Amino acid sequence: MSAIIERPKIRACLFDMDGLLINSEEIYTEVTNSVLKDHGKPMLPWSIKADLQGRPGTESAARFLAWSQLPYSPEELYGIFGERLKKRWHTTAPMPGAVELLTKLKGNKVPIALATSSYRGNYLLKTAHLGHMFGLFSEANTVLGDDARIPKGKGKPEPDIWLVALATLNANLPDHMEPIKPQECLVFEDGIPGVMGAKKAGCQVVWVPDPNILNVFEDKKDEIVGEWGEILPSLDAFDFAKYGL
């Protein structure tokens, strides 16, 4: 019988954005289905949606095209989506419990960083009207999908974006403090690729999936989050005491 390894104490929290902090994944789904409808195609299945979540834009477009067989290149499709999405990003809203969670972590002096696959242009459009929430992240601790520190082809589900986000926190620690280790980070994610990347980075994970995606992956949910993972229905269900926060 193998010994139970105790979880390291959490010293920092890292956050995805789309679908976790804001309802932008709903908007992505609506726009995707509008493009499919234009071509007489069925709506996007949740199993395919789960594979696209959190990936860099052109990679997500390439995977979508492999399934949908629409007559575009990934770059063309990304442009079509971009034009339709641009008209919707001003409507994004915080997900339940998101502002409260971030505010409490800041009040408790827990270091936080944002790690989103959204490129800077889209990030600004999605968040310009949500300064009360995204102002809680410093610019130095906001890592975007087109950050030069993330090698090309190394977006989620690779660990790079999470490790870069952690590095931004360690860069600002007082000299007397030990650097924060990946296993001392709690990653909050709604997408399976992001969860995979966080696990590869060695972090602990809180997975907050869309209920439709959780239904599709019900039989694999424990495997997805791993030994040091937890599944929550929403961010307002997070238990601070459980993690000593």
Side-chain angles (χ1 to χ4, degrees):
M1 186 172 168
S2 60
I4 297 175
I5 301 174
E6 187 176 347
R7 294 188 189 201
K9 176 178 169 55
I10 294 299
R11 296 177 58 201
C13 294
L14 310 178
F15 288 86
D16 173 51
M17 181 179 73
D18 293 297
L20 178 86
L21 297 179
I22 57 175
N23 66 341
S24 44
E25 284 294 349
E26 297 174 15
I27 298 172
Y28 275 121
T29 300
E30 290 168 7
V31 166
T32 300
N33 283 331
S34 74
V35 173
L36 288 169
K37 185 178 180 181
D38 289 348
H39 291 269
K41 300 279 187 176
M43 290 197 303
L44 185 70
W46 284 101
S47 57
I48 301 298
K49 169 75 175 177
D51 186 51
L52 304 179
Q53 273 184 306
R55 295 183 186 273
T58 51
E59 183 187 338
S60 178
R63 287 173 175 264
F64 172 78
L65 287 170
W67 167 77
S68 66
Q69 296 297 298
L70 293 182
Y72 303 114
S73 69
E75 292 74 21
E76 288 171 336
L77 183 68
Y78 186 62
I80 291 168
F81 279 173
E83 287 304 310
R84 298 191 188 192
L85 289 165
K86 224 182 278 186
K87 300 170 184 174
R88 301 284 305 279
W89 287 145
H90 69 283
T91 69
T92 58
M95 295 293 279
V99 176
E100 294 79 5
L101 173 57
L102 294 173
T103 301
K104 189 167 181 179
L105 288 171
K106 288 289 283 187
N108 292 349
K109 301 192 183 310
V110 179
I112 61 172
L114 185 71
T116 173
S117 296
S118 286
Y119 288 5
R120 179 164 294 277
N122 280 334
Y123 166 77
L124 293 173
L125 290 172
K126 293 172 186 176
T127 64
H129 58 293
L130 299 173
H132 65 294
M133 178 161 67
F134 289 95
L136 296 168
F137 295 100
S138 73
E139 177 68 23
N141 303 133
T142 298
V143 182
L144 308 179
D146 49 355
D147 191 300
R149 292 169 292 185
I150 302 168
K152 188 171 176 58
K154 289 291 187 176
K156 300 173 185 177
E158 297 305 317
D160 300 67
I161 194 169
W162 299 117
L163 296 174
V164 170
L166 171 56
T168 69
L169 294 177
N170 280 327
N172 292 299
L173 283 181
D175 291 339
H176 68 276
M177 291 186 69
E178 285 288 320
I180 302 166
K181 301 178 178 67
Q183 59 267 34
E184 296 172 323
C185 289
L186 188 60
V187 166
F188 291 81
E189 252 287 2
D190 71 306
I192 293 175
V195 169
M196 298 294 101
K199 286 166 59 182
K200 287 179 186 177
C203 302
Q204 300 182 47
V205 183
V206 172
W207 184 31
V208 192
D210 184 291
N212 294 288
I213 288 176
L214 187 59
N215 285 340
V216 173
F217 292 93
E218 179 67 32
D219 295 341
K220 296 182 178 179
K221 64 182 182 182
D222 293 334
E223 177 187 342
I224 289 170
V225 295
E227 182 184 1
W228 284 354
E230 178 181 17
I231 302 171
L232 293 181
S234 64
L235 290 174
D236 52 13
F238 180 69
D239 183 353
F240 283 80
K242 177 176 180 177
Y243 294 93
L245 298 172

PDB file of all heavy atoms in Angstrom, residues 201-213:
ATOM      1  N   ALA A 201       2.735  21.320 -15.365  1.00  0.00           N
ATOM      2  CA  ALA A 201       3.589  22.283 -14.678  1.00  0.00           C
ATOM      3  C   ALA A 201       3.862  21.869 -13.236  1.00  0.00           C
ATOM      4  O   ALA A 201       4.767  22.408 -12.605  1.00  0.00           O
ATOM      5  CB  ALA A 201       2.936  23.665 -14.703  1.00  0.00           C
ATOM      6  N   GLY A 202       3.065  20.928 -12.726  1.00  0.00           N
ATOM      7  CA  GLY A 202       3.247  20.461 -11.357  1.00  0.00           C
ATOM      8  C   GLY A 202       2.371  21.165 -10.343  1.00  0.00           C
ATOM      9  O   GLY A 202       2.595  21.055  -9.138  1.00  0.00           O
ATOM     10  N   CYS A 203       1.363  21.905 -10.832  1.00  0.00           N
ATOM     11  CA  CYS A 203       0.497  22.680  -9.942  1.00  0.00           C
ATOM     12  C   CYS A 203      -0.688  21.852  -9.435  1.00  0.00           C
ATOM     13  O   CYS A 203      -1.057  20.838 -10.029  1.00  0.00           O
ATOM     14  CB  CYS A 203      -0.053  23.902 -10.679  1.00  0.00           C
ATOM     15  SG  CYS A 203       1.208  25.010 -11.333  1.00  0.00           S
ATOM     16  N   GLN A 204      -1.281  22.319  -8.364  1.00  0.00           N
ATOM     17  CA  GLN A 204      -2.573  21.814  -7.916  1.00  0.00           C
ATOM     18  C   GLN A 204      -3.664  22.534  -8.714  1.00  0.00           C
ATOM     19  O   GLN A 204      -3.452  23.656  -9.182  1.00  0.00           O
ATOM     20  CB  GLN A 204      -2.742  22.050  -6.416  1.00  0.00           C
ATOM     21  CG  GLN A 204      -1.658  21.362  -5.576  1.00  0.00           C
ATOM     22  CD  GLN A 204      -1.853  21.557  -4.083  1.00  0.00           C
ATOM     23  OE1 GLN A 204      -2.958  21.384  -3.560  1.00  0.00           O
ATOM     24  NE2 GLN A 204      -0.778  21.925  -3.391  1.00  0.00           N
ATOM     25  N   VAL A 205      -4.821  21.898  -8.879  1.00  0.00           N
ATOM     26  CA  VAL A 205      -5.823  22.419  -9.814  1.00  0.00           C
ATOM     27  C   VAL A 205      -7.225  22.436  -9.211  1.00  0.00           C
ATOM     28  O   VAL A 205      -7.638  21.485  -8.539  1.00  0.00           O
ATOM     29  CB  VAL A 205      -5.859  21.570 -11.109  1.00  0.00           C
ATOM     30  CG1 VAL A 205      -6.857  22.158 -12.104  1.00  0.00           C
ATOM     31  CG2 VAL A 205      -4.493  21.462 -11.738  1.00  0.00           C
ATOM     32  N   VAL A 206      -7.947  23.523  -9.489  1.00  0.00           N
ATOM     33  CA  VAL A 206      -9.389  23.577  -9.269  1.00  0.00           C
ATOM     34  C   VAL A 206     -10.032  23.703 -10.646  1.00  0.00           C
ATOM     35  O   VAL A 206      -9.805  24.686 -11.359  1.00  0.00           O
ATOM     36  CB  VAL A 206      -9.794  24.777  -8.382  1.00  0.00           C
ATOM     37  CG1 VAL A 206     -11.326  24.903  -8.343  1.00  0.00           C
ATOM     38  CG2 VAL A 206      -9.256  24.604  -6.976  1.00  0.00           C
ATOM     39  N   TRP A 207     -10.791  22.690 -11.026  1.00  0.00           N
ATOM     40  CA  TRP A 207     -11.449  22.663 -12.338  1.00  0.00           C
ATOM     41  C   TRP A 207     -12.900  23.101 -12.156  1.00  0.00           C
ATOM     42  O   TRP A 207     -13.634  22.530 -11.338  1.00  0.00           O
ATOM     43  CB  TRP A 207     -11.373  21.258 -12.922  1.00  0.00           C
ATOM     44  CG  TRP A 207     -11.923  21.117 -14.316  1.00  0.00           C
ATOM     45  CD1 TRP A 207     -11.937  22.048 -15.301  1.00  0.00           C
ATOM     46  CD2 TRP A 207     -12.530  19.939 -14.875  1.00  0.00           C
ATOM     47  NE1 TRP A 207     -12.500  21.542 -16.448  1.00  0.00           N
ATOM     48  CE2 TRP A 207     -12.881  20.246 -16.214  1.00  0.00           C
ATOM     49  CE3 TRP A 207     -12.803  18.670 -14.378  1.00  0.00           C
ATOM     50  CZ2 TRP A 207     -13.492  19.322 -17.060  1.00  0.00           C
ATOM     51  CZ3 TRP A 207     -13.416  17.746 -15.217  1.00  0.00           C
ATOM     52  CH2 TRP A 207     -13.753  18.071 -16.559  1.00  0.00           C
ATOM     53  N   VAL A 208     -13.308  24.128 -12.920  1.00  0.00           N
ATOM     54  CA  VAL A 208     -14.680  24.649 -12.845  1.00  0.00           C
ATOM     55  C   VAL A 208     -15.299  24.540 -14.245  1.00  0.00           C
ATOM     56  O   VAL A 208     -15.440  25.542 -14.958  1.00  0.00           O
ATOM     57  CB  VAL A 208     -14.686  26.114 -12.353  1.00  0.00           C
ATOM     58  CG1 VAL A 208     -16.106  26.551 -11.993  1.00  0.00           C
ATOM     59  CG2 VAL A 208     -13.765  26.296 -11.149  1.00  0.00           C
ATOM     60  N   PRO A 209     -15.651  23.328 -14.665  1.00  0.00           N
ATOM     61  CA  PRO A 209     -16.116  23.134 -16.043  1.00  0.00           C
ATOM     62  C   PRO A 209     -17.559  23.546 -16.258  1.00  0.00           C
ATOM     63  O   PRO A 209     -18.356  23.587 -15.313  1.00  0.00           O
ATOM     64  CB  PRO A 209     -15.978  21.619 -16.224  1.00  0.00           C
ATOM     65  CG  PRO A 209     -16.230  21.069 -14.851  1.00  0.00           C
ATOM     66  CD  PRO A 209     -15.626  22.079 -13.898  1.00  0.00           C
ATOM     67  N   ASP A 210     -17.885  23.863 -17.501  1.00  0.00           N
ATOM     68  CA  ASP A 210     -19.286  24.025 -17.886  1.00  0.00           C
ATOM     69  C   ASP A 210     -20.000  22.693 -17.602  1.00  0.00           C
ATOM     70  O   ASP A 210     -19.452  21.625 -17.884  1.00  0.00           O
ATOM     71  CB  ASP A 210     -19.363  24.357 -19.385  1.00  0.00           C
ATOM     72  CG  ASP A 210     -20.778  24.638 -19.848  1.00  0.00           C
ATOM     73  OD1 ASP A 210     -21.594  23.693 -19.882  1.00  0.00           O
ATOM     74  OD2 ASP A 210     -21.070  25.790 -20.198  1.00  0.00           O
ATOM     75  N   PRO A 211     -21.209  22.717 -17.040  1.00  0.00           N
ATOM     76  CA  PRO A 211     -21.922  21.466 -16.726  1.00  0.00           C
ATOM     77  C   PRO A 211     -22.075  20.541 -17.934  1.00  0.00           C
ATOM     78  O   PRO A 211     -22.047  19.311 -17.788  1.00  0.00           O
ATOM     79  CB  PRO A 211     -23.290  21.945 -16.226  1.00  0.00           C
ATOM     80  CG  PRO A 211     -23.060  23.338 -15.757  1.00  0.00           C
ATOM     81  CD  PRO A 211     -21.977  23.904 -16.627  1.00  0.00           C
ATOM     82  N   ASN A 212     -22.224  21.116 -19.134  1.00  0.00           N
ATOM     83  CA  ASN A 212     -22.370  20.296 -20.337  1.00  0.00           C
ATOM     84  C   ASN A 212     -21.094  19.516 -20.631  1.00  0.00           C
ATOM     85  O   ASN A 212     -21.141  18.366 -21.087  1.00  0.00           O
ATOM     86  CB  ASN A 212     -22.717  21.177 -21.539  1.00  0.00           C
ATOM     87  CG  ASN A 212     -24.074  21.822 -21.418  1.00  0.00           C
ATOM     88  OD1 ASN A 212     -25.097  21.168 -21.530  1.00  0.00           O
ATOM     89  ND2 ASN A 212     -24.091  23.120 -21.146  1.00  0.00           N
ATOM     90  N   ILE A 213     -19.949  20.144 -20.378  1.00  0.00           N
ATOM     91  CA  ILE A 213     -18.670  19.462 -20.596  1.00  0.00           C
ATOM     92  C   ILE A 213     -18.444  18.410 -19.522  1.00  0.00           C
ATOM     93  O   ILE A 213     -17.967  17.310 -19.804  1.00  0.00           O
ATOM     94  CB  ILE A 213     -17.526  20.491 -20.650  1.00  0.00           C
ATOM     95  CG1 ILE A 213     -17.628  21.278 -21.966  1.00  0.00           C
ATOM     96  CG2 ILE A 213     -16.155  19.819 -20.523  1.00  0.00           C
ATOM     97  CD1 ILE A 213     -16.616  22.384 -22.121  1.00  0.00           C
TER      98      ILE A 213
END
